[in-house]
Amino acid sequence: MGAGQASDKMVPPAGRRTRRIPARRPTMKDIARRAGVSESAVSFALNDRPGVSEATRDRVRRVAEQLGWRADSAARALSGEGAGTVGLVLARRAHTYGVDSFVLELISGIQQVLADYQLGLLFQMVEDIDAECATYRRWWAERRVDGVLVVDPRKADPRPELLDELGLPAVVIGSTPERPGTEATLNPALSTIHADDAAAMARVVTHLYELGHRRILHISGLADLVHTERRIHSLARESERLGLSDVRSVATDYSSAEGAAATQQALDGDCVPTAIIYDNDVMAAAGLALATSRGLSVPRDLSIVAWEDSLICRMVHPWLTALARDTVALGKSAAEELTALIESGPARNVEVPLPELILRESTAPPLVRSAAP
């Protein structure tokens, strides 16, 4: 199967519950009933027009806030039109995305499909998952989006249940928590699209083992992400299978600063690794720079593998061995799945091809040092 071609694994119908009926958006009538006033009084209060007392205006606004009402939701309800827009929220600290090629290529692929459907993309960055969930609630109340693309699935993730409650079509990009004995997605109302992170890690470990490396460090991304957990577990399983004892993972925030700091700590430790696997290209480049600044030669003294291949991996010396996937194609597939869901298509679990390990100059057999006389 060629790069970018997705193999469909349909979610099995057995045992699936039907899609939940979306929660009803609050109306002015609901506010009037709760506040004990007329609908005209609600309109006056919410549109800041004269005709009601300040006490009534305050009471109406408090009730509207409690019900999650937004000013433009009523107008859209009257028109009966969709938003013509899909949403994407990134819940990470902004500095970690500064040169993240994965995000840029993903959005490029998404936008190519949305342009064909004449759909807009509403993009927002927030600090954490709570803020992301609040954004979804606001978008739903304001009818801002027809569906959303969800990235970075967490081990304990509140987003799928919330989106199902709101009735927002959604596609989760990335590995999702496993439910023992099933192949179902996080929620039968959502589609997922992902690669096999565990198999990709096994491929990297096997390559390093065959070169002769026995002390391997994995500098990962955020610890609570599902794909991070799967990579860590796969590393542990492969290490046990191969009889490796000096193998471990260290979590970071994906930034170059934390990637370099983790590298420095490892090189200063008692059990110095002969190979390091980085969870993105930015950290791998930072690790390479740190190692060479200390007088180490890559790959003679240290082999380096980057999880995401990019131009960065070919702008440093030596060029970095890396896992390569067609991220633009991944974005296109995710957008296509979402447009199908918006049009009442079935939820699906789509597995994309395994990333290819591109061998370059940053990996080689470890240097064998002779014992001191």
Side-chain angles (χ1 to χ4, degrees), residues 267-281:
L267 297 180
D268 287 338
D270 295 331
C271 185
V272 178
T274 61
I276 301 180
I277 305 166
Y278 294 87
D279 260 6
N280 70 9
D281 51 348

Side-chain angles (χ1 to χ4, degrees), residues 267 288-298 300-302 369:
L267 297 180
L288 171 64
L290 187 284
T292 55
S293 72
R294 294 168 59 105
L296 297 179
S297 172
V298 176
R300 187 189 66 182
D301 299 312
L302 179 69
R369 302 181 186 279

Side-chain angles (χ1 to χ4, degrees), residues 160-351:
E161 183 176 356
L162 169 63
L163 293 169
D164 184 47
E165 173 191 331
L166 298 177
L168 272 176
V171 173
V172 178
I173 303 172
S175 302
T176 55
E178 295 176 348
R179 299 201 301 202
T182 76
E183 294 183 17
T185 58
L186 274 169
N187 189 292
L190 311 180
S191 288
T192 65
I193 181 166
H194 63 94
D196 188 341
D197 290 286
M201 175 60 82
R203 178 174 290 182
V204 174
V205 175
T206 298
H207 167 63
L208 293 175
Y209 179 82
E210 290 175 348
L211 287 176
H213 293 278
R214 300 298 182 264
R215 298 194 305 276
I216 302 171
L217 174 65
H218 169 216
I219 297 182
S220 77
L222 299 169
D224 66 334
L225 299 185
V226 173
H227 69 250
T228 299
E229 182 180 50
R230 289 195 175 165
R231 294 173 190 180
I232 290 173
H233 287 175
S234 177
L235 176 66
R237 286 194 302 269
E238 289 303 301
S239 299
E240 183 177 0
R241 181 180 69 84
L242 297 171
L244 304 177
S245 58
D246 295 328
V247 177
R248 60 193 177 92
S249 295
V250 176
T252 70
D253 67 355
Y254 284 111
S255 69
S256 59
E258 290 203 7
T263 303
Q264 179 169 320
Q265 185 174 10
L267 297 180
D268 287 338
D270 295 331
C271 185
V272 178
T274 61
I276 301 180
I277 305 166
Y278 294 87
D279 260 6
N280 70 9
D281 51 348
V282 174
M283 292 197 298
L288 171 64
L290 187 284
T292 55
S293 72
R294 294 168 59 105
L296 297 179
S297 172
V298 176
R300 187 189 66 182
D301 299 312
L302 179 69
S303 283
I304 290 178
V305 178
W307 197 274
E308 296 291 346
D309 189 26
S310 72
L311 183 60
I312 291 176
C313 296
R314 302 184 298 279
M315 292 181 67
V316 296
H317 179 75
W319 285 15
L320 298 178
T321 293
L323 281 164
R325 57 180 166 183
D326 192 339
T327 307
V328 173
L330 176 66
K332 292 173 66 174
S333 296
E336 288 166 354
E337 290 297 320
L338 182 57
T339 56
L341 276 179
I342 291 171
E343 295 172 357
S344 301
R348 307 198 310 164
N349 183 9
V350 180
E351 183 171 327

